[in-house]
């Protein structure tokens, strides 16, 4: 099903549409602002769009994390992820996450973190158990991780998110989970 969509790297012409996609699917504009902030601060690691015909259907951003106690560990955060409502349930979100994981694996990333519904992210191999090796600002049942390397699997310690996550007013991921 995902083959009907073309996943590619974001180009600068996509930026206004990406912003609109996030604004339209989330209850507030916080996720759209988070995307802008992460990208303008240079903390975006990988930004992919899903395209169908001439239209963008979805977007995913991965951003840099700092593994404070595991020097050199390559860790990234998944999110925000958004698929326009009219394209949801057609495999676009799955294709964006899968392609992102594949590219990051190729880049030698050790571990990816995501805060989200385990019912969705579990299918890619993300687990809360893997995340529990680490200490993050979002620790809880919805904080999950996927190790892409042996190093990522056995690493542990404090993980710091990019400043955008804490500095945004109404930062979307500041939950009590
Ligand atoms: C969540 C989201 C990105 C999923 O994208 P999508 O293109 O609709 O997902 P897919 O079509 O690839 O769905 C794959 C499966 O995930 C399930 N799924 C979709 N959204 C889900 C959610 N929020 N929680 C749990 N499962 C979900 C679908 O039911 C489908 O299940 P199936 O394969 O068993 O039929 C999209 O619905 C969205 O943008 N939602 C609003 C924003 C959001 O919640 N972003 C994620 C924040 S962590």
């Amino acid at each position: 099903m995902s083959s009907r969509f073309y996943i590619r790297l974001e180009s600068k012409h996509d930026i206004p549409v990406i912003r609109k996609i996030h604004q339209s699917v989330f209850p507030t504009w916080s996720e759209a602002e988070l995307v802008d902030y992460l990208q303008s601060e240079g903390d975006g690691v990988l930004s992919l769009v899903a395209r169908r015909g001439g239209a963008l259907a979805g977007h995913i951003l991965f951003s840099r994390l700092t593994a404070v106690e595991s020097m050199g560990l390559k860790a990234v955060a998944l999110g925000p992820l958004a698929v326009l409502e009219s394209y949801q349930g057609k495999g676009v979100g799955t294709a964006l996450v899968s392609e992102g994981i594949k590219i990051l694996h190729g880049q030698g990333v050790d571990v990816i973190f995501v805060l989200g519904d385990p019912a969705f992210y579990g299918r890619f191999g993300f687990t809360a158990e893997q995340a529990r090796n680490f200490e993050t600002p979002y620790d809880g049942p919805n904080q999950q991780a996927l190790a892409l390397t042996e190093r990522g699997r056995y690493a542990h310690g404090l993980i710091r998110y990019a400043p955008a996550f804490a500095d945004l007013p109404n930062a979307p991921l500041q939950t009590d989970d």
Side-chain angles (χ1 to χ4, degrees), residues 22-138:
H22 288 281
Q23 287 170 350
S24 79
V25 302
F26 288 106
T28 74
W29 286 15
S30 296
E31 279 78 4
E33 289 170 11
L34 180 61
V35 169
D36 282 344
Y37 197 166
L38 285 166
Q39 293 287 56
S40 66
E41 292 294 302
D43 287 320
V45 168
L46 178 65
S47 180
L48 298 174
V49 293
R51 213 185 139 99
R52 187 184 188 191
L56 291 194
H59 171 252
I60 191 168
L61 180 67
F62 295 85
S63 63
R64 194 179 323 285
L65 294 174
T66 306
V68 178
E69 290 152 56
S70 301
M71 254 202 17
L73 186 82
K74 285 187 169 182
V76 303
L78 184 168
L81 161 67
V83 175
L84 274 181
E85 202 174 337
S86 53
Y87 293 101
Q88 288 179 11
K90 299 179 189 333
V92 179
T94 299
L96 283 165
V97 175
S98 303
E99 187 63 19
I101 292 170
K102 196 170 113 191
I103 293 171
L104 293 171
H105 184 254
Q107 293 177 352
V109 166
D110 296 298
V111 59
I112 306 173
F113 288 81
V114 68
L115 183 70
D117 190 337
F120 180 66
Y121 291 105
R123 69 191 61 209
F124 308 101
F126 286 91
T127 64
E129 190 187 1
Q130 179 65 55
R132 281 197 289 271
N133 288 353
F134 300 89
E135 187 188 330
T136 81
Y138 308 111

